[in-house]
Structure formats: C-alpha cells, structure tokens
Amino acid sequence: MFCEQCEQTASGQGCHQWGACGKSPEVNGVHDLLIYCLRGLAPVALGAHKLGISTHNIDVFTCEAMFATMTNVNFDQKRLNDYVRRAIAYREQLKLQIQQATGVAQTWSDISCYQPNFDDSLAEQGQDITLKFISQSGTNVDIFSLKLTVLYGLKGVASYAFHAQELGQEDERVYKFCYEALANLDNQDLSLDHWVNLALKVGEINLLTMELLDAGHTSTYGHPVPTLVDLHAKAGKAILVSGHDIPQLEAILKQTVGTSITVYTHGELLPAHGYPRLKQTYPHLYGHYGTAWQNQTKEFAKFPGAIIITTNCLMPPHANYEDKLFSIGPVGYPGLNYLNAGVDGSIDFAPAIRKALELPEFREDEVTNVPRQVTTGFARNAILSVADQIITAVKAGQIRHFFLIGGCDGAKPDRNYYTELVEKVPNDCIILTLACGKFRFFDKDLGDIGGIPRLLDVGQCNDAYSAIQIALALANAFEVDVNELPLSMILSWYEQKAVAILLTLLYLGIKDIRLGPTLPAFISPNVFKLLSQKYNLQPITKPDADLAACLAPESYALQ
C-alpha cells in the first residue's frame, strides 16, 4: 500500500505495510480505486453541467464518497465496494443522458471508460492504479506533491460540503470545482505554477464551503453563546454521540425525547452545547464525556450506554464495546452496527435507543459530587460582541498578544508541545482554540483579562471559518492587514480537513503560520521551501523558542 495523507504516517514518510490509522492494505486499495473512479466520473459530470443536465444526486454522492476515503472514516470493504459500483453506475447514466441530449456518441478518455472487474479483487486493482498514478509523476516529485496536496485538500472540502448540504446549504461552484480538480489529477501537462494555483483554489473553495456550513449551523441553531458544559455524568441511561455532525445529533435528541435517556457529546461535538436553540429545545442534552478521538478505545469501553459515531474520526473498535457502537453516514467498520438512511435521508436511531435502554446506566455512586465544567461557544458573534472591549484592552497594554492554538489531536507524544505551549503563554495574552487539538488543554483554568477569558473555545474544526472572521474583523477594526495583528497561529494537523483549512489560510495570504507536530509527508522539500518563502510557513520547534519569536516586539504593527 501507499498512503501518506495523514500526520501519523509510519516514520513520517508514509504507510506501506499497514495504515497507522488501522486500515489494511486491502481497504487502502479500494479507497484508491474509488478515488480513481470518481476522477473518471468528473469529466462526464462536467460535460453534463454544460448541457444543463441535473447532477445534484451525483454531486452529493461524490462528496460523500470522497469523505469515506478520509483518514479514520470507513474501513468496511463491502460498503466501499458499493461506493465504487455507484460511481460507475452514475458515470454511465450521465453518459447516456449526454448522448440523448446531443444525439451524438461522445468519445471519453480511458479513465472515464474504466470498468472495474467486480469478480476479482478490487483492492488489487486499486493498488495497481496507485502504482500507475505514482509512475505518471515521473521524476517531477514537486508536481506529484502538489497533486496529492490538491487531492487531500479536496477531501476536506468534500467533507465540509457533505455537512453543509445536510443543512440545506449548497453552492454549484463547490461541486463544479470538485469535478474540475478531480479531472485535473489525470492531466500530465500542467506546470508547477498551475498546481500551486490549483492548491490555493482549493483553499478559496474551502472558504466558501465553510461559509455555507457556518450559515447552516447558525441559521438553524442560532449563533453560539458562551455556555458552561458539565464534564461529569449524572445517574441514568445514556447515549454518547461522537464525531462532528450536529444535525444528526439533533435527530438523536428528537428521537430520545421522553425516553429518560441522557445524551452526552464526545470529541468534536462539544461545541454543540453552545448553540442556543439546540440546548433550549433538548434539555436531555446534558454534558460532555471524554476527550479527543484517539482516546476513544478507553473512553468508549468505560461509557455504560450506547455510542453513535457520526463522522470521522473512528478508531478500529475493540471487542469490549463493539456491540454497543453504531455508525452512520460515510463511517463504517466491518461488523459494526450501521444505521442506514431511509429514502428521505432520515435515520432511524431506534436500534441504538433500544441498546441504551438495555445497557447499564450511570449509577449514583459513579457520579462525582465535585462538578467539572468547561466553557464553549466563543464563536465570532460572541467574541466580536465585545470587540470594543478587546480593542481598548489591546491599546491599554492589557492584552499583548493573541494566539490561535488548535487543530487536530493525535496519539504521538510530541503533541505535548501544544499543552506546554499553552501553559507557558504569558498571562497578558489571549488563546483562541478550536477543533479536537484543544483537548490537550481545554479544561485548564487560565483566568481572564478584564473579564475576557484567556482561553476561548471557538468551536469545531468545522468552525475555522468563525476563527478566520474574528481575525479579519479585528484587522479591520485596527485598520491594519491581518498579518500586522498581534496574532500568531500555531496549528496542529492530522487529517485532510486540516489540509483544506491550511490552504484556505494561505489563499487569504496569512503568513507566519507554525505547523506541527510534523510536516506533511506528501509535501516535498521544494514545495515546502516555496511556501516558506512566500508565506513564511514554518514547522514548530520548541515552545519557548516559538513563544519568543511570536512575542518579538518588531513582529507586529500594533506593538
């Protein structure tokens, strides 16, 4: 196998024997085959677009299928094989519609005519395609590096588009670009500059997609407000919901009304507690249980009730909790309870609810009498509502610097860098955080500056749009470029949504980003040098050294 799409690749160079995420070479092979089939579908879909043929169902499918190939999402070969079949069926359906519309038989490239042999190993066919894809790069490692950057960033865009369309937020430009980028991966004649620009275009389209997702969340559930969230359980039956999918969390809440079941969030769903309409409507949405995705094998085993995982990141489940774990959407694992959507797209969570009622509950003697709480909900409206107070504090020297410290968490011990960094940030600095990287330090009491908490949880990785808007609004308020703000971005990455977000930041021209804990294996030395020269993108080093560099007086116009 060949896979280097996530941060935890073997030896920082790529997984070749078995995936660090737990996927087998066979699953990786079908992932690659599915992407190849989507690349072949893309030119046909673009041809249909030109003729005004509706491709909406195929657009949504394409995003879901790409989502399924992301790290820690789908390990189930049977379901992946079905994605491949559907991709081919959709492609041939569109070809027929195009021929009927034009009255002419079209000539399609080899990739758009590819037919997998479903009687043979799809994994082996995918492995052969991967070798072909690698060999096509020839000696130009930098173009191959950028092709992978585009592909992995595109997977992140697809995941955000998948979530946005669940909330009724779609834009044809997103779907069209996905097809254009997929189709370009087969092009051998594009220059290095073209691939750099295409990677930045991924960032531009990702910004649009995150804006759609933000609009879906805020129009449906209201703008997040600072909210105290309990970190301890209460007695009674329980369901734990993990992942990122807030509409599916609401569906679970609707179906558990009146059941005496308490619903807890896990992982990236912590910020759901900040949405006022969600919390007000469903009082049995109680608290948050556990931390980041890589700890789920221990945390899921201890949780007494049923567990539903809505999106990445799924760890290969252990036998001691597998029977009470359910997955939905693109998430899958062999033998895992899967709740399929009906014709109308809705999911019946009755099997998970029955399981929760059958399982043990949190007992009174297990419930701590010492409350633990964290605050979430510091999205852009909450922070910008006190913008005048923030500006005054900066001008008065009470707030010296802002740090955005967040991103993906992971299992590697060198991620302790982020905990140490937060602990060493001076008391006159504000820390914005988001995504599951915050679980390294989310429960630390860092105090406040003039009533403004020093640690502000902006939300999920899906809420990176909110963090960007905060930075842009502050720059506008101070009448400076965003790069002149006393703001440092120190990011952790793990999977492909983080790649898309990084490309968005670069598209916006944001400089001096520090990235870790290691650099992407798919970024060649020359490509990283190019990004370093243009954007001063740099790897993290040591907390003390990075803090000193970020706080240097000459670094920012307001200091």
Side-chain angles (χ1 to χ4, degrees):
M1 66 180 287
F2 169 77
C3 184
E4 54 180 7
Q5 69 176 5
C6 83
E7 192 271 333
Q8 297 196 167
T9 51
S11 302
Q13 298 177 344
C15 295
H16 304 286
Q17 302 297 322
W18 198 273
C21 63
K23 71 177 174 181
S24 67
E26 290 74 24
V27 167
N28 185 72
V30 185
H31 280 176
D32 289 347
L33 179 63
L34 175 55
I35 291 296
Y36 187 77
C37 292
L38 295 174
R39 288 165 53 197
L41 168 62
V44 184
L46 289 171
H49 276 203
K50 289 180 181 178
L51 295 170
I53 297 171
S54 174
T55 63
H56 181 259
N57 289 343
I58 302 171
D59 301 341
V60 174
F61 162 79
T62 298
C63 289
E64 180 182 340
M66 280 197 286
F67 197 169
T69 69
M70 285 176 58
T71 305
N72 291 93
V73 177
N74 199 310
F75 302 78
D76 189 343
Q77 274 189 259
K78 183 178 179 181
R79 287 187 52 213
L80 292 168
N81 290 355
D82 181 61
Y83 279 122
V84 173
R85 291 180 185 275
R86 290 170 66 191
I88 297 300
Y90 279 135
R91 186 192 72 194
E92 295 307 305
Q93 170 192 320
L94 283 182
K95 283 184 182 179
L96 181 59
Q97 289 179 274
I98 290 171
Q99 184 171 336
Q100 290 171 341
T102 61
V104 178
Q106 305 291 312
T107 300
W108 301 100
S109 64
D110 290 346
I111 194 171
S112 295
C113 296
Y114 174 77
Q115 289 288 347
N117 181 357
F118 289 100
D119 295 325
D120 204 350
S121 169
L122 293 185
E124 290 182 6
Q125 294 170 63
Q127 289 164 358
D128 291 342
I129 283 168
T130 300
L131 292 174
K132 180 181 176 183
F133 185 48
I134 294 171
S135 66
Q136 283 177 341
S137 67
T139 58
N140 200 323
V141 174
D142 300 325
I143 284 182
F144 184 60
S145 169
L146 286 165
K147 279 190 175 186
L148 293 178
T149 303
V150 167
L151 174 59
Y152 300 153
L154 197 64
K155 290 184 181 187
V157 172
S159 71
Y160 290 135
F162 172 87
H163 286 302
Q165 66 83 27
E166 282 187 307
L167 291 157
Q169 297 289 329
E170 299 176 90
D171 192 306
E172 286 295 323
R173 289 173 292 176
V174 175
Y175 296 134
K176 184 181 179 185
F177 176 76
C178 286
Y179 292 132
E180 290 171 345
L182 284 169
N184 268 324
L185 292 173
D186 197 45
N187 196 321
Q188 307 305 315
D189 301 322
L190 302 178
S191 67
L192 184 70
D193 285 343
H194 180 98
W195 283 106
V196 170
N197 291 333
L198 189 56
L200 294 175
K201 185 70 175 181
V202 172
E204 178 184 357
I205 294 298
N206 186 58
L207 181 64
L208 168 62
T209 311
M210 289 193 299
E211 182 180 8
L212 292 170
L213 181 55
D214 178 86
H217 282 148
T218 55
S219 63
T220 306
Y221 304 114
H223 283 277
V225 296
T227 304
L228 280 171
V229 183
D230 290 298
L231 298 180
H232 55 279
K234 65 179 181 179
K237 300 290 186 178
I239 285 179
L240 185 63
V241 188
S242 188
H244 304 73
D245 201 315
I246 293 177
Q248 294 301 344
L249 171 63
E250 184 187 22
I252 294 163
L253 289 165
K254 280 183 179 179
Q255 294 180 39
T256 49
V257 169
T259 63
S260 75
I261 292 173
T262 299
V263 176
Y264 299 81
T265 56
H266 177 270
E268 288 263 43
L269 279 173
L270 167 63
H273 294 272
Y275 287 100
R277 293 175 197 161
L278 199 63
K279 190 71 174 176
Q280 292 162 8
T281 308
Y282 306 102
H284 61 301
L285 173 61
Y286 167 67
H288 188 78
Y289 183 94
T291 52
W293 65 272
Q294 77 276 4
N295 300 319
Q296 66 186 243
T297 53
K298 293 180 180 179
E299 293 168 355
F300 287 1
K302 292 179 180 178
F303 189 80
I307 303 161
I308 302 168
I309 185 156
T310 62
T311 51
N312 66 319
C313 301
L314 172 67
M315 292 281 285
H318 288 192
N320 58 347
Y321 63 83
E322 189 174 31
D323 67 325
K324 65 180 181 182
L325 182 61
F326 298 80
S327 73
I328 63 173
V331 185
Y333 197 87
L336 196 64
N337 301 305
Y338 180 67
L339 303 177
N340 208 349
V343 176
D344 63 352
S346 64
I347 296 173
D348 182 3
F349 290 98
I353 294 170
R354 286 195 298 270
K355 175 62 73 172
L357 294 172
E358 293 168 2
L359 288 167
E361 60 187 39
F362 279 112
R363 303 189 311 270
E364 286 286 355
D365 60 357
E366 294 177 314
V367 177
T368 178
N369 293 320
V370 181
R372 290 182 64 230
Q373 295 178 317
V374 294
T375 304
T376 190
F378 291 103
R380 69 179 190 282
N381 266 32
I383 293 179
L384 296 180
S385 68
V386 294
D388 291 344
Q389 185 179 345
I390 291 172
I391 293 167
T392 299
V394 171
K395 290 181 177 178
Q398 295 171 310
I399 297 177
R400 177 170 35 148
H401 205 82
F402 298 88
F403 289 88
L404 176 59
I405 304 174
C408 310
D409 202 3
K412 287 184 177 179
D414 50 3
R415 288 179 179 269
N416 291 332
Y417 163 94
Y418 296 94
T419 309
E420 184 180 347
L421 182 74
V422 166
E423 291 172 342
K424 290 183 173 182
V425 168
N427 291 335
D428 57 356
C429 299
I430 297 287
I431 299 169
L432 303 171
T433 189
L434 75 165
C436 64
K438 65 173 168 274
F439 287 113
R440 295 271 166 176
F441 47 80
F442 79 126
D443 56 352
K444 293 185 179 297
D445 183 3
L446 301 182
D448 66 88
I449 300 175
I452 301 170
R454 288 191 55 237
L455 181 61
L456 301 170
D457 179 8
V458 177
Q460 301 178 320
C461 65
N462 297 6
D463 296 313
Y465 175 80
S466 200
I468 290 169
Q469 293 306 309
I470 291 169
L472 295 177
L474 288 176
N476 183 61
F478 282 112
E479 298 182 341
V480 297
D481 182 86
V482 69
N483 291 308
E484 296 174 306
L485 283 173
L487 168 68
S488 297
M489 295 189 181
I490 305 178
L491 308 180
S492 55
W493 81 283
Y494 175 74
E495 42 85 295
Q496 295 76 65
K497 283 187 280 187
V499 177
I501 291 169
L502 177 62
L503 293 175
T504 294
L505 295 174
L506 298 181
Y507 159 73
L508 291 169
I510 295 175
K511 298 180 179 180
D512 301 311
I513 299 168
R514 286 171 167 79
L515 184 65
T518 60
L519 296 177
F522 54 85
I523 297 290
S524 69
N526 283 339
V527 170
F528 186 73
K529 181 179 179 182
L530 184 154
L531 297 176
S532 297
Q533 290 173 342
K534 186 169 183 179
Y535 301 103
N536 200 28
L537 180 66
Q538 53 197 295
I540 61 171
T541 59
K542 298 293 183 182
D544 289 327
D546 288 344
L547 278 174
C550 292
L551 295 171
E554 67 275 11
S555 299
Y556 300 94
L558 302 184
Q559 296 180 317

